[in-house]
Amino acid sequence: MILTASIRKTNFYNKNLSNLNFVKNEMINKIIGVGVVKWIVKNTFFKFLNQKLKFDRKMNISDVKNIRNEMNKSEIDHLFAFIFVVIFVIVQLYNQKYLLAFIILFVNIIMNLYPSLLQQQNKRRIDKLIFRFEKSKPTK
């Protein structure tokens, strides 16, 4: 989190990291189980973890853009956490602790990679909403 906070103001973060899309196809998202993670986040105690990501139908476009920025922060935090833990997994593999490395990698994928993929999916949906709103906005 310290690393992501330090790079948040850079051009690399704003141009490259804010628009990441590992899986662009919704069918692939469905096949790998992002929908299951979405259901878990919506219907278990995980829904209480990041209250800034609440979406309300009465929101204006600036609120939606703020939610997209918060999603982006959350996504990048999860990605950096995933990379950090993968380094730990590589160390465990080097030390020939294969079962421990597999368990840590499995939990890391579930707790960091899948939430990041879910945020990317939600950001694409929000981008479509923002595009429709800006397209329908009358020009002066």
Side-chain angles (χ1 to χ4, degrees):
M1 290 177 69
I2 294 170
L3 181 63
T4 58
S6 65
I7 68 166
R8 214 166 260 151
K9 302 291 183 195
T10 64
N11 284 338
F12 177 74
Y13 181 88
N14 293 325
K15 290 184 179 181
N16 297 339
L17 293 181
S18 64
N19 294 315
L20 284 178
N21 255 329
F22 296 133
V23 181
K24 294 180 182 179
N25 190 335
E26 293 298 321
M27 185 57 125
I28 294 174
N29 270 338
K30 192 173 188 176
I31 290 170
I32 63 175
V34 175
V36 173
V37 174
K38 183 177 183 177
W39 184 89
I40 290 170
V41 169
K42 284 174 60 175
N43 297 309
T44 64
F45 68 92
F46 288 109
K47 67 182 170 188
F48 300 112
L49 291 182
N50 196 347
Q51 292 295 312
K52 294 179 183 178
L53 299 180
K54 292 286 183 185
F55 204 84
D56 187 12
R57 293 203 182 268
K58 299 175 184 176
M59 300 177 101
N60 61 26
I61 193 67
S62 65
D63 293 335
V64 173
K65 287 181 179 180
N66 287 336
I67 287 179
R68 189 195 186 286
N69 289 336
E70 289 298 324
M71 281 184 173
N72 191 43
K73 289 176 188 175
S74 176
E75 172 196 354
I76 300 302
D77 287 344
H78 278 286
L79 282 176
F80 274 87
F82 178 76
I83 292 168
F84 178 76
V85 174
V86 164
I87 293 169
F88 184 73
V89 167
I90 291 169
V91 169
Q92 295 305 314
L93 287 172
Y94 180 77
N95 292 332
Q96 298 179 351
K97 296 181 180 178
Y98 302 115
L99 182 61
L100 178 62
F102 174 75
I103 291 169
I104 292 170
L105 181 62
F106 179 75
V107 171
N108 189 29
I109 289 171
I110 299 299
M111 299 303 285
N112 285 317
L113 186 60
Y114 271 90
S116 183
L117 293 174
L118 179 61
Q119 296 296 355
Q120 288 178 5
Q121 181 184 42
N122 289 337
K123 279 192 328 183
R124 286 192 303 269
R125 292 172 56 209
I126 286 178
D127 287 343
K128 288 178 188 175
L129 179 67
I130 291 171
F131 178 76
R132 275 191 269 153
F133 181 80
E134 290 177 348
K135 184 179 170 185
S136 67
K137 189 167 56 169
T139 58
K140 292 182 180 181

